Amino acid sequence: MSGSGFLEQLLDGEAVEWKPIAEVFHLKNGYTPSRSKQEFWENGTVSWFRMDDIRQNGQVLHNSLQKVSAGAVKGGKLFPANSLIFSTSATIGEHALISVPHLANQRFTNLSLKERYLGTFVDKFLFYYGFLLAEWCKKNTKKSSFPSVDMDRFRKFEIPIPCPEDPKKSLTIQAEIVRILDRFTELTAELTAELTAELNARRKQYKHYREKLLTLDDGNVERKPLGEVAEYSKTRISSDQLNKSNHVGVDNLLQDRGGKVESNHVPTSGNLTEYQKGDILIGNIRPYLKKIWPADRTGGTNGDVLVIHPTDDTVDPRYIYQVLADGKFFNYSMKHAKGAKMPRGSKPQILLYPIPIPFADSPQESLAEQARIVAILDAFDVLTTSLTEGLPREIDLRQKQYAYYRDLLLNFPRPDADAA
């Protein structure tokens, strides 16, 4: 049965009454206690919620990451338990149901039921209906350097009360909708956990085989400094030869060996460092981000990106890429990096990084072994990339499916389709 059909069955022809938020809720702005008063932030016992709480612990919250002292509470009044917080400025539309008396920071507006409506609603029903309000907020934001919700219209947003003449039946309908949506939430969370576990397992497996393939016995390997088999690019390219596709800055190199995306900013004057097909580009700011890309075209970059240009015909450029794409290289680069807040890899030290080259009776045999290793690791790269793209896409699809049925279940009939 469709969500809308199920809702019609629950209502069984009963009316739905609509009330504006300002009539149903007390609306209070959150705030941050004075940072200059140290006593407000020591030995805290009062939950003080921020966006970080939602991001880390979800949207039904029983405790806060940070607490303040009772003396930090204005007028000694807390927002009551089982009320909602909505982000109505900066990051718009995030919301949570808070089960304890609390405070929240100024990004949030607190919605607590007025006394005459305390027995009218199931708290979690209001939380789920909050997803519709959240979408409304995103579409009704005042555009400025600091976005904020149009609060005059926010106060007029209407909340449905099913079967207003029969409070018991109204609460039963709300509770049944909550039961269904709770189960949907559980199933979505379980699926997300399973897919995430699958992705992590494949990444660990890839890491294991990568290390095994690149850990060669000393008797079967010749170790050469990177500087003996490659050099930093010495050529320059004019900016008029660059575009979004072939200009590479550190910002459009992706973390964790993710390759690159198109550049958002292409220089319009001057000359840049040239890279060629087969070169290896490495983000040299914060090496722990593991930004690396094997070039498949000619283009240009700046000083924040190292261009490793292979120079030894007996070493496969793709093999050099796979060695440098390994976590051990980035750990080495971080060990020799300079700067605390924005560490930058040492160019001289990077050229000393040892490249393990398979030893063989001839250069051709060594190249064949390098090619075999590269083929295996390339296959793992393709598989991991497929999983990295496919599993999050599957998670997103299921979440959108859940949101679709949730909205249907909450799509109560209106006498006027154009109402708020």
Side-chain angles (χ1 to χ4, degrees), residues 60-73:
V60 178
L61 298 170
H62 311 291
N63 205 354
S64 65
L65 297 171
Q66 189 168 7
K67 290 182 168 59
V68 298
S69 68
V73 182

Side-chain angles (χ1 to χ4, degrees), residues 250-263:
V250 72
D251 290 338
N252 61 296
L253 285 175
L254 300 177
Q255 298 180 30
D256 295 319
R257 301 177 287 266
K260 78 170 190 71
V261 294
E262 288 195 343
S263 177

Side-chain angles (χ1 to χ4, degrees), residues 329-359:
F329 166 74
F330 292 105
N331 292 338
Y332 171 91
S333 185
M334 272 303 298
K335 180 180 178 181
H336 297 285
K338 305 294 183 182
K341 291 185 178 179
M342 192 73 71
R344 187 184 294 268
S346 167
K347 293 177 70 174
Q349 288 293 331
I350 286 172
L351 288 181
L352 296 177
Y353 185 75
I355 306 297
I357 302 169
F359 182 80

Side-chain angles (χ1 to χ4, degrees), residues 237-377:
I237 187 171
S238 174
S239 60
D240 59 17
Q241 298 183 54
L242 302 180
N243 52 50
K244 290 183 178 181
S245 176
N246 71 352
H247 172 257
V248 176
V250 72
D251 290 338
N252 61 296
L253 285 175
L254 300 177
Q255 298 180 30
D256 295 319
R257 301 177 287 266
K260 78 170 190 71
V261 294
E262 288 195 343
S263 177
N264 291 323
H265 171 71
V266 180
T268 56
S269 63
N271 295 321
L272 289 85
T273 301
E274 183 182 50
Y275 67 83
Q276 301 171 5
K277 183 177 180 179
D279 288 349
I280 300 141
L281 276 62
I282 300 173
N284 201 37
I285 294 177
R286 296 186 290 180
Y288 58 83
L289 295 178
K290 302 176 184 177
K291 294 186 173 186
I292 187 168
W293 176 61
D296 58 3
R297 68 202 74 176
T298 295
T301 184
N302 57 31
D304 293 333
V305 177
L306 304 179
V307 178
I308 307 296
H309 177 68
T311 57
D312 190 333
D313 292 340
T314 66
V315 184
D316 188 333
R318 288 288 304 179
Y319 180 77
I320 296 176
Y321 163 75
Q322 290 292 359
V323 172
L324 296 180
D326 190 64
K328 291 192 289 293
F329 166 74
F330 292 105
N331 292 338
Y332 171 91
S333 185
M334 272 303 298
K335 180 180 178 181
H336 297 285
K338 305 294 183 182
K341 291 185 178 179
M342 192 73 71
R344 187 184 294 268
S346 167
K347 293 177 70 174
Q349 288 293 331
I350 286 172
L351 288 181
L352 296 177
Y353 185 75
I355 306 297
I357 302 169
F359 182 80
D361 293 334
S362 68
Q364 291 74 21
E365 290 181 9
S366 177
L367 283 168
E369 178 60 14
Q370 294 172 44
R372 184 186 72 84
I373 293 172
V374 167
I376 295 171
L377 292 177

Side-chain angles (χ1 to χ4, degrees), residues 157-202:
F157 184 91
E158 292 183 330
I159 303 294
I161 306 175
C163 306
E165 301 301 323
D166 188 345
K168 185 176 179 180
K169 185 173 182 179
S170 179
L171 292 173
T172 298
I173 291 172
Q174 294 176 50
E176 180 61 11
I177 291 172
V178 167
R179 183 191 68 79
I180 295 168
L181 293 179
D182 277 350
R183 184 56 182 149
F184 265 119
T185 302
E186 290 171 6
L187 291 172
T188 303
E190 289 170 4
L191 176 63
T192 299
E194 290 174 3
L195 294 176
T196 302
E198 175 73 11
L199 179 58
N200 290 336
R202 293 294 171 262

Side-chain angles (χ1 to χ4, degrees), residues 88 90 92 136-144 147-150:
T88 50
I92 303 295
W136 181 92
C137 286
K138 293 172 185 176
K139 297 173 184 176
N140 290 272
T141 299
K142 296 179 180 178
K143 304 297 183 182
S144 67
S148 61
V149 172
D150 183 336

